[in-house]
Amino acid sequence: MRPGDVEEGPYARAGGRLPGDPVPDPGLGDTPPPAPAARRRWLTHDHALVRLLPPLLIAVAVVYDLLTPRYFTAGPLYTAAPLVAAPLYSRRGTLLTGLAVIAAVVGLQFGKGVAHYIDSVTELVTIATVAGLAVLVNALVRRTDARLASAREIAEAAQRAVLPEPAERLGGFEIAACYEAAQADAFIGGDLYAVQDSPRGVRMIVGDVRGKGMGAVAAVAVVIGAFREAAEQEATLEAVAQRLERALAREGTRREGLDAFEGFTTAVLVELPHGDGVVRVVNRGHPPPLLLRADGRLRALAAREAALPLGMGELGVWPDRAEEVPFPGGATLLLYTDGVTEARDARGEFYDPAVRLAGRRFGSPGELLDVLAEEVRRHSGGGMADDMALLAVRRPDRHEQ
């Protein structure tokens, strides 16, 4: 097998590179996409240009008045300047913009000798009224911004409490995690991840709770809480899965409406025993993990037997079976939610991480997640359909330990 091929066999999935599948963009290679910092610089640049609009409007209006006969007026441009300044500037900046507009109109009216006309007086009163309203709009905007900032702080605190960042090194493994909500200014939703060291190895979970809103967030808290307790106490990964099943069943009895009957969570549970060089996986209806080897080869760890998501155990009775595969030094295991695989481009094509990441090398789990998150955003044009949770763990080479 050549580097860059997606391995087949019992763990290959339909998204692997098989005959007839799309070929990845050859221009990607190992070249990383534009970093998030570059994207922030573009946004900052655009914002700076927008802030130039009020003085630009005033300047254009003054030039127009100077170059046209006295019965022509640039009143609409004068009224637009303070209104544009209201959401962009501080209260003082908005007030100064309004005063500048009034001063420009008064000066031009006297210069043209039309200040005593009723139309000129009406125009001046209108512009002064709009300038005053702009100051009031600015106050409302600032108050709303303060409330949004407070809500963001609360959301960030909730995210840190429910989805804390895992340690960069745990049990001899390098770990990185990333959460990105599809909704702008949202910090947490129905996706989840957790990492827990235990006497039997490092155990991890990545999952996706059905539904949205606070009900999904509450279910996330239940799953993570149950996982941390079970990961520490249970002897096997299968027992951890059953513990989560029971926890969601208890939660379902307390939820009302449709969620009480159809609530479920897709999840993949992983165990990395200390020093064994293997990874054990229990998949409950979740996208399969990807194993990226140090030489660029990629293996999709799809389950041999399909299993229902957590919370749907009453629909089928069969035991969970952890599947074990080698986890060599230098390899990275990637777990993700369907916010990655459901990202569509303008042509309606889905992003396929198995195809896009095959053959590429990454220096650390954090670098892998940064590149993957940016590619998904770029593939979907910034309009992701679902939240995205990412978790990557790397087993260092022996000479690195």
Side-chain angles (χ1 to χ4, degrees):
M1 178 178 295
R2 295 171 297 177
D5 290 341
V6 179
E7 293 188 13
E8 302 181 29
Y11 288 95
R13 70 181 181 89
R17 190 178 301 162
L18 300 175
D21 282 350
V23 178
D25 185 354
L28 289 173
D30 291 338
T31 303
R39 184 168 176 264
R40 288 194 295 270
R41 286 196 296 270
W42 296 338
L43 294 177
T44 302
H45 179 69
D46 292 343
H47 184 66
L49 292 178
V50 172
R51 289 178 63 85
L52 293 176
L53 278 178
L56 183 62
L57 288 171
I58 297 174
V60 171
V62 170
V63 172
Y64 178 88
D65 274 342
L66 290 175
L67 299 179
T68 57
R70 64 181 183 179
Y71 47 83
F72 283 79
T73 177
L77 297 179
Y78 290 121
T79 55
L83 290 177
V84 173
L88 299 176
Y89 293 175
S90 65
R91 182 179 301 178
R92 180 182 178 184
T94 304
L95 179 60
L96 291 176
T97 301
L99 293 176
V101 168
I102 294 172
V105 171
V106 171
L108 287 169
Q109 286 180 353
F110 277 99
K112 288 185 172 184
V114 297
H116 60 284
Y117 291 164
I118 186 64
D119 290 345
S120 299
V121 174
T122 302
E123 180 187 38
L124 181 61
V125 171
T126 300
I127 292 173
T129 302
V130 172
L133 291 175
V135 175
L136 293 178
V137 170
N138 176 268
L140 293 175
V141 169
R142 298 301 161 192
R143 185 178 302 175
T144 301
D145 287 346
R147 291 176 179 174
L148 287 175
S150 177
R152 291 190 187 100
E153 291 178 359
I154 294 173
E156 289 177 359
Q159 184 185 39
R160 287 192 296 269
V162 178
L163 298 177
E165 286 286 336
E168 293 183 0
R169 294 190 67 92
L170 187 65
F173 300 97
E174 300 175 10
I175 300 173
C178 171
Y179 189 100
E180 185 161 334
Q183 184 179 358
D185 295 326
F187 289 90
I188 190 171
D191 289 11
L192 62 97
Y193 62 79
V195 180
Q196 182 74 29
D197 199 6
S198 75
R200 297 164 184 85
V202 176
R203 288 173 169 173
M204 302 180 294
I205 183 173
V206 167
D208 187 358
V209 173
R210 175 197 170 274
K212 302 290 183 181
M214 293 307 299
V217 175
V220 166
V222 170
V223 172
I224 292 180
F227 168 77
R228 293 195 181 280
E229 183 178 0
E232 182 69 26
Q233 297 177 356
E234 298 294 344
T236 65
L237 199 60
E238 295 89 339
V240 174
Q242 289 302 312
R243 188 88 161 258
L244 297 181
E245 183 77 42
R246 292 192 295 271
L248 281 174
R250 290 193 302 269
E251 174 68 10
T253 61
R254 296 193 292 267
R255 301 177 73 178
E256 299 179 355
L258 185 64
D259 284 345
F261 301 96
E262 297 187 7
F264 61 85
T265 299
T266 67
V268 58
L269 293 91
V270 170
E271 180 179 87
L272 302 172
H274 297 299
D276 283 358
V278 298
V279 55
R280 299 188 183 105
V281 180
V282 169
N283 195 325
R284 298 294 295 269
H286 197 77
L290 302 178
L291 183 63
L292 290 76
R293 296 179 180 270
D295 60 6
R297 288 181 295 167
L298 184 146
R299 187 176 189 178
L301 306 185
R304 291 188 177 92
E305 297 181 7
L308 292 174
L310 296 170
M312 301 180 68
E314 72 279 359
L315 300 181
V317 180
W318 60 83
D320 288 300
R321 291 185 177 87
E323 300 175 2
E324 183 175 294
V325 297
F327 190 25
T332 301
L333 184 69
L334 173 65
L335 290 77
Y336 55 94
T337 57
D338 57 9
V340 174
T341 54
E342 292 182 0
R344 298 192 187 199
D345 62 12
R347 297 172 296 180
E349 295 181 1
F350 292 104
Y351 181 89
D352 191 335
V355 172
R356 300 293 292 271
L357 297 177
R360 303 170 68 178
R361 299 172 178 85
F362 303 93
S364 67
E367 178 185 345
L368 167 60
L369 298 192
D370 288 343
V371 171
L372 178 59
E374 181 61 25
E375 283 194 4
V376 171
R377 284 192 296 265
R378 188 170 58 181
H379 182 82
S380 61
M384 296 190 307
D386 200 357
D387 296 349
M388 178 172 62
L390 307 172
L391 183 63
V393 55
R394 178 176 180 269
R395 178 185 292 277
D397 285 325
R398 291 184 179 180
H399 68 272
E400 298 178 1
Q401 297 177 345

